[in-house]
Amino acid sequence: MNPFILVGIVTGTYFLLFFIVAQILKNNSIVDIGWGPGYALIAWAVYINQPSTESLIVPILVTLWAGRLFFYISIRNIGKGEDYRYVNMRKEWGDKVLINALVRVFLLQGALQYVVALPLIGRQADMANLGIVIIGIALFGTGLFFEVVGDGQLKAFIKQRTDKEQIMTTGLWRYTRHPNYFGDACVWWGFFIMAMGFSAPIWTIIGPIVMTLLLRFVSGVPFLERRYKDNLAYGAYKKVTSAFIPMPPKKTR
């Protein structure tokens, strides 16, 4: 089957099932838990549709990334009820919660996932350039490092801080205010470069571009920074630390 049609069916079905479960649980925020595994499902669906020993590396690495994200979000969210963002959406939507949740949460995330996954969908079964694939794997590894280490450093900091107003400014956080988001972007550029080594069309670059724009300008950096807009310590941290791409801290006068 054409992989673009196959993934459209798989992704649509996946998010529809998540929508049904969410309504049973009355918790639309479980869509966040399903974000990572959805990509693993896509990668394996494409692999099964076009299997080859060489291309097995792609679904394996996608599953590694997706599994980490799944467990990280699950540990953070399970048992804590519906996330406040989705609670606010329910209040805003009134008696039209079902249709809005279906279209504006689950189908929207399914559509975004499809677009971001374009390199995974467009890659061919046989490797065309090992060097390019290795570069993609290296970039993927760099991104995963920033995600894992950045999240770990933040978790350790939150456990030991004595005041919720305290800000993480050491480790990877000394060089970027959002090492985990930067890492996520690197992961998807790594997947794109890997896919190019498997003869994916150049236009699938839309995937990592969309993901990077979302992280930097929509649902990632801006969303979190709004939470700290009144924090004086964060304001000072913001003046000397790069928002996204790791850079040496600016010197203060």
Side-chain angles (χ1 to χ4, degrees):
M1 181 184 289
N2 181 296
F4 291 96
I5 295 175
L6 172 65
V7 171
I9 295 171
V10 168
T11 303
T13 303
Y14 177 75
F15 277 94
L16 181 59
L17 289 174
F18 252 88
F19 167 74
I20 293 171
V21 173
Q23 304 324 301
I24 294 172
L25 298 177
K26 298 187 184 304
N27 185 350
N28 288 323
S29 60
I30 68 167
V31 72
D32 295 339
I33 295 174
W35 180 250
Y39 288 108
L41 181 63
I42 288 172
W44 283 108
V46 173
Y47 174 78
I48 292 170
N49 189 54
Q50 298 176 332
S52 77
T53 303
E54 293 175 335
S55 66
L56 185 59
I57 186 65
V58 178
I60 288 176
L61 292 182
V62 173
T63 302
L64 175 64
W65 170 82
R68 190 206 78 88
L69 183 63
F70 169 75
F71 284 111
Y72 180 79
I73 295 179
S74 296
I75 292 171
R76 186 185 68 186
N77 291 3
I78 289 178
K80 297 182 180 178
E82 189 172 49
D83 185 274
Y84 75 94
R85 294 170 296 164
Y86 297 93
V87 171
N88 290 339
M89 289 178 190
R90 284 182 182 277
K91 294 176 181 178
E92 180 183 328
W93 294 335
D95 60 354
K96 296 180 179 178
V97 170
L98 283 179
I99 186 63
N100 276 289
L102 176 62
V103 175
R104 299 174 66 177
V105 176
F106 292 86
L107 293 184
L108 175 59
Q109 289 214 27
L112 286 173
Q113 184 164 95
Y114 185 95
V115 172
V116 172
L118 285 175
L120 306 179
I121 306 168
R123 67 136 185 93
Q124 302 300 305
D126 297 322
M127 188 183 300
N129 191 312
L130 176 60
I132 292 178
V133 172
I134 290 174
I135 292 172
I137 293 173
L139 186 54
F140 164 83
T142 300
L144 192 62
F145 170 82
F146 270 85
E147 286 192 86
V148 173
V149 175
D151 284 339
Q153 290 174 341
L154 181 61
K155 184 177 180 180
F157 169 76
I158 290 174
K159 280 186 177 180
Q160 60 83 37
R161 70 179 177 181
T162 55
D163 182 351
K164 288 186 177 182
E165 294 297 304
Q166 287 180 295
I167 299 299
M168 177 71 176
T169 61
T170 58
L172 295 179
W173 302 80
R174 172 177 167 80
Y175 305 100
T176 166
R177 302 200 298 273
H178 302 277
N180 44 0
Y181 289 151
F182 170 76
D184 207 16
C186 287
V187 162
W188 282 99
W189 282 102
F191 286 147
F192 167 70
I193 293 173
M194 268 188 273
M196 291 296 291
F198 284 95
S199 302
I202 186 64
W203 57 263
T204 60
I205 195 174
I206 294 170
I209 288 176
V210 168
M211 176 59 89
T212 303
L213 291 176
L214 286 173
L215 291 170
R216 179 61 185 88
F217 299 108
V218 184
S219 61
V221 173
F223 178 80
L224 276 183
E225 299 216 330
R226 281 196 294 270
R227 296 174 60 181
Y228 294 99
K229 62 183 178 68
D230 298 323
N231 186 307
L232 295 179
Y234 195 84
Y237 170 62
K238 190 174 180 179
K239 290 179 180 179
V240 299
T241 310
S242 171
F244 196 67
I245 299 173
M247 301 180 72
K250 296 177 183 177
K251 293 183 180 180
T252 55
R253 295 179 180 179

